[in-house]
């Protein structure tokens, strides 16, 4: 089944791109990434797939990946996943703390809050705390230097950190860090954006409210929340958003505004790419990566040849490696981004000044009738993806939906996810 899944998503990437493979055989580079990681080199068609060469060498990229894999939490290195106008959108986790860098087996226990089997080794980390901290600077320089080389090789300039914390703390220890609080300022060459977004625990409330995100506001006054919203002025002045009110936004407004920000970033620079990450890169990161992929696809800007069922399969199989509550929110949220304010396509105005008065009157009359009956293609495409997802989710996880059944491939994929976490429900989707 895994080989069939890999072959399927490779075939879907192949429709529109020339790509190479970053090999992760048996998870030896990162156990939480696919065994074959797609590196998109350029957009292509059947006629020009061999007519261009990438500016990057896959062997060099693989080497940088291997050297930088320890820099980030759980080895989730900076991975390019979307190619838009020659720029890479990347995903990863946050920077690893000293405990993980030194390879303590008790780290997983500490980070997971006690779900690991390595309880006995946790005390070893605590006992060596001071000794490790006195000798960690050189190691940080090495691994974070490799991480920076990989980012620059991929021409990534912008780093969006979704953490609501400056550092993740467990049992009084800083178990992960972040570029925004790197004491040595190693990431000073990058444009850092702190865009705090609630984690998977908050989405339990979303489920308890029968999957209704409207009116659901995160409690920003909790003790562990210490990361402020920090966005350079060059990205805020053109979006017509009052960012000072972000703590009053409900889940819909916050997700919409953050998505607008990410789209604005990748459109404002013709050469440099973007990295999005949270703590482990498991829920919030794929949420926004998937929304970016689907929004750009709806505009025909990426994956131009894929049908709704195909882009849905691709983003589930490739962007979502774990199943979770945010997973459902992502696709149900598509109804909130169908309007043109999320479109990257510049709308061309009609030259009405060259028309006669009668023609102008006729133009505005028929324009009014379009406003009444015309449904934009972007909306049609996104609603088709949402309908397919809800039907597949209903048939596998157990939620009720009136949508028709999609292809068996998507249902089978969701069934694998559902079995893996034991999710079954009876709530109706609204």
């Amino acid at each position: 089944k895994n080989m069939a899944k890999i072959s399927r998503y490779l075939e879907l990437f192949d429709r529109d791109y020339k790509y190479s493979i970053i090999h992760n055989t048996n998870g030896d580079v990162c156990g939480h990434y696919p065994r074959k990681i797609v590196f998109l080199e350029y957009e292509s068609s059947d006629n020009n797939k061999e007519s261009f060469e990438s500016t990057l060498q896959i062997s060099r990229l693989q080497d940088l990946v291997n050297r930088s894999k320890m820099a980030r939490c759980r080895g989730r290195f900076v991975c390019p996943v979307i190619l838009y106008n020659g720029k890479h959108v990347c995903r990863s986790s946050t920077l690893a703390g000293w405990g993980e860098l030194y390879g303590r087996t008790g780290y997983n226990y500490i980070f997971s809050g006690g779900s690991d089997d390595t309880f006995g080794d946790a005390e070893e980390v605590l006992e060596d705390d001071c000794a490790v901290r006195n000798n960690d600077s050189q190691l940080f320089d090495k691994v974070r230097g490799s991480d920076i080389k990989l980012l620059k090789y991929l021409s990534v300039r912008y780093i969006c950190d979704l953490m609501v914390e400056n550092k993740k703390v467990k049992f009084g220890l800083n178990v992960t860090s972040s570029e925004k609080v790197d004491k040595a300022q190693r990431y000073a060459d990058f444009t850092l954006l702190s865009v705090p977004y609630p984690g998977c625990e908050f989405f339990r409330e979303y489920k308890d409210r029968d999957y209704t995100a409207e009116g659901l506001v995160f409690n920003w006054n909790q003790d562990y929340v210490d990361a402020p919203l920090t966005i350079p002025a060059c990205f805020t002045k053109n979006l017509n958003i009052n960012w000072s009110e972000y703590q009053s936004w409900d889940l819909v407004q916050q997700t919409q505004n953050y998505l607008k920000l990410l789209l604005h970033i990748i459109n404002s620079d013709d050469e440099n790419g973007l990295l999005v990450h949270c703590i482990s890169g498991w829920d919030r990161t794929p949420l926004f990566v998937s929304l970016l992929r689907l929004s750009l696809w709806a505009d025909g800007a990426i994956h131009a040849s894929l049908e709704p069922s195909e882009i849905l399969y691709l983003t589930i199989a490739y962007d979502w490696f774990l199943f979770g509550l945010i997973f459902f929110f992502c696709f149900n949220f598509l109804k909130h981004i169908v309007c043109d304010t999320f479109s990257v396509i510049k709308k061309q105005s009609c030259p009405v000044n060259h028309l006669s008065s009668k023609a102008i009157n006729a133009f505005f009359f028929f324009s009014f009738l379009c406003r009444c009956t015309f449904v934009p293609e972007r909306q049609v495409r996104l609603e088709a993806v949402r309908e397919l997802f809800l039907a597949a989710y209903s048939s596998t996880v157990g939620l009720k939906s009136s949508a028709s059944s999609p292809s068996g491939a998507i249902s089978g994929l969701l069934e694998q996810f559902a079995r893996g976490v034991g999710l079954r429900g009876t709530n109706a989707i609204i």
Side-chain angles (χ1 to χ4, degrees):
K1 288 184 177 180
N2 286 335
M3 291 304 297
K5 190 188 306 179
I6 291 173
S7 298
R8 178 58 173 159
Y9 72 67
L10 291 180
E11 187 270 330
L12 294 174
F13 277 119
D14 188 61
R15 299 269 191 92
D16 299 287
Y17 298 94
K18 172 67 171 63
Y19 67 83
S20 298
I21 297 295
I22 301 174
H23 292 285
N24 185 32
T25 307
N26 300 319
D28 49 0
V29 182
C30 178
H32 307 291
Y33 278 179
R35 299 305 179 255
K36 290 186 177 181
I37 301 170
V38 175
F39 171 63
L40 301 176
E41 300 186 45
Y42 53 84
E43 291 184 79
S44 66
S45 65
D46 290 336
N47 296 326
N48 70 354
K49 278 191 175 166
E50 303 302 328
S51 60
F52 298 96
E53 292 185 3
S54 173
T55 57
L56 302 181
Q57 297 179 352
I58 191 64
S59 59
R60 173 61 173 158
L61 183 60
Q62 184 89 43
D63 178 63
L64 287 171
V65 163
N66 286 325
R67 291 176 181 272
S68 66
K69 63 184 180 181
M70 286 301 296
R72 294 186 174 269
C73 177
R74 300 185 184 274
R76 296 173 70 88
F77 57 86
V78 174
C79 182
V81 288
I82 296 175
L83 183 65
Y84 170 62
N85 285 350
K87 299 167 289 189
H88 292 289
V89 175
C90 304
R91 63 178 294 170
S92 72
S93 58
T94 192
L95 297 179
W98 59 265
E100 185 171 11
L101 287 181
Y102 278 88
R104 299 298 184 183
T105 56
Y107 175 81
N108 282 335
Y109 169 80
I110 295 173
F111 187 85
S112 63
S115 62
D116 226 5
D117 295 330
T118 52
F119 179 86
D121 294 319
E123 294 182 359
E124 182 181 355
V125 178
L126 298 176
E127 291 173 358
D128 290 346
D129 184 12
C130 295
V132 170
R133 287 180 180 273
N134 291 332
N135 296 285
D136 63 4
S137 179
Q138 189 173 11
L139 180 61
F140 281 162
D141 286 341
K142 181 178 180 180
V143 297
R144 293 186 180 175
S146 296
D147 180 66
I148 290 170
K149 287 181 180 177
L150 176 58
L151 285 165
K152 291 186 175 181
Y153 194 66
L154 293 169
S155 297
V156 170
R157 179 179 176 183
Y158 308 101
I159 300 177
C160 288
D161 181 354
L162 296 165
M163 295 171 60
V164 298
E165 312 96 333
N166 285 323
K167 296 182 178 182
K168 184 66 176 180
V169 178
K170 287 284 186 178
F171 305 120
L173 297 176
N174 294 326
V175 293
T176 69
S177 186
S178 171
E179 301 91 348
K180 61 181 181 279
V181 291
D182 181 63
K183 293 181 179 179
Q185 296 291 302
R186 300 175 183 89
Y187 292 84
D189 291 340
F190 300 89
T191 301
L192 306 181
L193 297 92
S194 175
V195 282
Y197 189 86
C200 59
E201 298 86 356
F202 177 65
F203 281 80
R204 292 193 180 97
E205 297 183 41
Y206 170 66
K207 181 183 178 183
D208 293 341
R209 297 173 88 248
D210 291 328
Y211 304 96
T212 302
E214 292 86 349
L216 181 58
V217 181
F218 180 67
N219 179 9
W220 296 95
N221 295 320
Q222 299 174 80
D223 292 340
Y224 70 94
V225 178
D226 60 357
L229 181 75
T230 307
I231 306 173
C234 60
F235 293 135
T236 61
K237 60 184 179 182
N238 297 322
L239 287 176
N240 195 28
I241 296 172
N242 188 348
W243 294 97
S244 65
E245 297 180 351
Y246 78 98
Q247 293 188 354
S248 68
W249 294 339
D250 66 12
L251 188 56
V252 172
Q253 292 172 300
Q254 188 176 23
T255 309
Q256 285 178 324
N257 289 339
Y258 281 13
L259 182 59
K260 288 178 182 178
L261 174 65
L262 295 179
L263 290 167
H264 181 55
I265 290 172
I266 61 176
N267 270 328
S268 64
D269 192 320
D270 293 332
E271 298 180 354
N272 297 297
L274 164 71
L275 167 64
V276 180
H277 76 76
C278 51
I279 296 178
S280 292
W282 280 349
D283 286 301
R284 289 168 284 186
T285 298
L287 167 64
F288 283 99
V289 167
S290 189
L291 288 175
L292 277 173
R293 192 185 300 279
L294 290 165
S295 183
L296 292 169
W297 166 83
D299 286 335
I302 63 173
H303 302 294
S305 68
L306 299 190
E307 297 295 325
S309 61
E310 293 171 329
I311 191 67
L312 177 59
Y313 185 97
L314 177 62
T315 193
I316 290 175
Y318 200 71
D319 296 330
W320 290 94
F321 305 120
L322 291 180
F323 200 90
L325 301 178
I326 297 184
F327 174 81
F328 177 83
F329 172 77
C330 173
F331 296 98
N332 199 33
F333 187 77
L334 295 180
K335 62 186 178 183
H336 295 295
I337 63 169
V338 297
C339 61
D340 286 343
T341 58
F342 294 93
S343 176
V344 297
I345 306 300
K346 294 182 179 179
K347 305 302 177 184
Q348 295 183 348
S349 59
C350 179
V352 296
N353 55 312
H354 297 299
L355 303 178
S356 66
S357 59
K358 289 184 178 180
I360 291 175
N361 290 335
F363 168 78
F364 284 114
F365 173 73
F366 286 110
S367 294
F368 172 76
L369 295 178
C370 287
R371 284 198 299 272
C372 293
T373 62
F374 177 69
V375 179
E377 182 181 2
R378 174 186 173 86
Q379 180 176 350
V380 172
R381 288 160 69 87
L382 289 175
E383 287 182 347
V385 171
R386 180 174 177 267
E387 179 178 323
L388 288 168
F389 172 79
L390 293 181
Y393 195 95
S394 171
S395 65
T396 55
V397 181
L399 296 172
K400 297 178 181 179
S401 174
S402 59
S404 58
S405 296
S407 66
I410 299 172
S411 295
L413 189 63
L414 288 177
E415 181 62 34
Q416 292 182 45
F417 286 133
R419 285 200 306 266
V421 298
L423 280 180
R424 288 294 184 272
T426 57
N427 303 69
I429 299 172
I430 301 176

